[in-house]
Amino acid sequence: KAGVTQTPRYLIKTRGQQVTLSCSPISGHRSVSWYQQTPGQGLQFLFEYFSETQRNKGNFPGRFSGRQFSNSRSEMNVSTLELGDSALYLCASSWGGEETQYFGPGTRLLVL
Amino acid sequence: TQLLEQSPQFLSIQEGENLTVYCNSSSVFSSLQWYRQEPGEGPVLLVTVVTGGEVKKLKRLTFQFGDARKDSSLHITAAQPGDTGLYLCAGKYNQGGKLIFGQGTELSVKP
């Protein structure tokens, strides 16, 4: 069974631009969660989607948004990028959200 | 703000030594998980504990959940270079809630 895949793996953007990251969950999993990982703040929860609906949300500004498609694939969008948005963005999938989450390898975003 | 404090942040030891990593909160967890993350990869789940006082073993790794479900520890016996990585604890304060991660413990085991 293929694991969680994230694209792209690496991305360089400049301040003010916007970016879209993609996550394909394990087949059959309906819950996708997104996290931001930085050396200073560690791993922080962004949001969780289940059956195309946002079910949980972390404490991030409205510039961070996401969506989930009918095939459970999810995208995360960050608008008006700031230097502080440089981070490893991880997504994790699970069948319903309460079970074991399986993480993807992440997308490393660098904002210049 | 619900905080999960993990200590130590960094640990550098020689092969064969024992070590313990701690995870503490002032609030009660409904469940707590330990993950290991290697460079360039996402975290991989090691164990989930849900019952106060629970002890789980995974080869040389022993995980303990505090009686009050506010703290947890990870003990590694006879550490090996392959144990090197970032160890993360993560807890849920209620079912259906979001997963809160500790800052992580960066472990380096030298041969």
Side-chain angles (χ1 to χ4, degrees):
Chain A
K1 197 188 240 189
V4 178
T5 57
Q6 291 186 246
T7 56
R9 291 294 309 277
Y10 305 93
L11 206 46
I12 299 176
K13 291 284 188 178
T14 54
R15 277 183 302 173
Q17 287 187 310
Q18 67 95 28
V19 68
T20 299
L21 311 182
S22 181
C23 173
S24 292
I26 291 172
S27 178
H29 285 190
R30 294 192 294 166
S31 168
V32 174
S33 296
W34 287 90
Y35 297 85
Q36 181 196 65
Q37 187 174 31
T38 59
Q41 299 296 319
L43 247 158
Q44 293 187 289
F45 173 80
L46 280 154
F47 28 66
E48 181 206 359
Y49 285 87
F50 179 81
S51 291
E52 302 178 66
T53 302
Q54 188 180 87
R55 189 159 70 171
N56 267 311
K57 190 177 188 305
N59 300 320
F60 278 81
R63 300 185 297 107
F64 292 81
S65 63
R67 59 178 175 167
Q68 187 179 33
F69 301 95
S70 58
N71 63 357
S72 293
R73 190 177 70 85
S74 177
E75 285 183 348
M76 192 195 105
N77 186 274
V78 188
S79 62
T80 320
L81 284 166
E82 300 176 1
L83 296 179
D85 296 333
S86 294
L88 180 68
Y89 289 89
L90 293 158
C91 84
S93 77
S94 65
W95 191 86
E98 288 301 318
E99 308 80 7
T100 301
Q101 289 188 80
Y102 294 88
F103 282 83
T107 293
R108 187 162 293 283
L109 172 65
L110 176 62
V111 182
L112 302 175
Chain B
T1 304
Q2 295 164 329
L3 291 175
L4 225 165
E5 295 183 5
Q6 201 171 330
S7 63
Q9 262 191 286
F10 302 95
L11 201 47
S12 181
I13 61 173
Q14 292 296 127
E15 182 176 1
E17 290 184 13
N18 301 331
L19 67 116
T20 303
V21 177
Y22 300 93
C23 184
N24 294 286
S25 173
S26 56
S27 302
V28 175
F29 299 117
S30 66
S31 66
L32 188 136
Q33 300 176 334
W34 284 93
Y35 291 81
R36 179 164 166 261
Q37 184 178 18
E38 296 191 52
E41 298 180 13
V44 175
L45 180 68
L46 296 173
V47 77
T48 300
V49 286
V50 296
T51 306
E54 186 174 3
V55 177
K56 282 193 174 179
K57 291 190 182 232
L58 189 65
K59 295 182 182 176
R60 293 174 295 100
L61 277 60
T62 301
F63 305 87
Q64 190 156 3
F65 201 14
D67 290 339
R69 288 189 291 136
K70 291 184 179 181
D71 58 271
S72 181
S73 64
L74 156 61
H75 182 80
I76 301 180
T77 304
Q80 299 176 1
D83 295 328
T84 293
L86 178 68
Y87 289 81
L88 296 153
C89 66
K92 282 194 179 186
Y93 292 98
N94 51 272
Q95 265 202 321
K98 57 190 181 186
L99 201 56
I100 310 291
F101 279 84
Q103 288 285 84
T105 295
E106 190 74 56
L107 171 65
S108 173
V109 183
K110 298 184 184 343

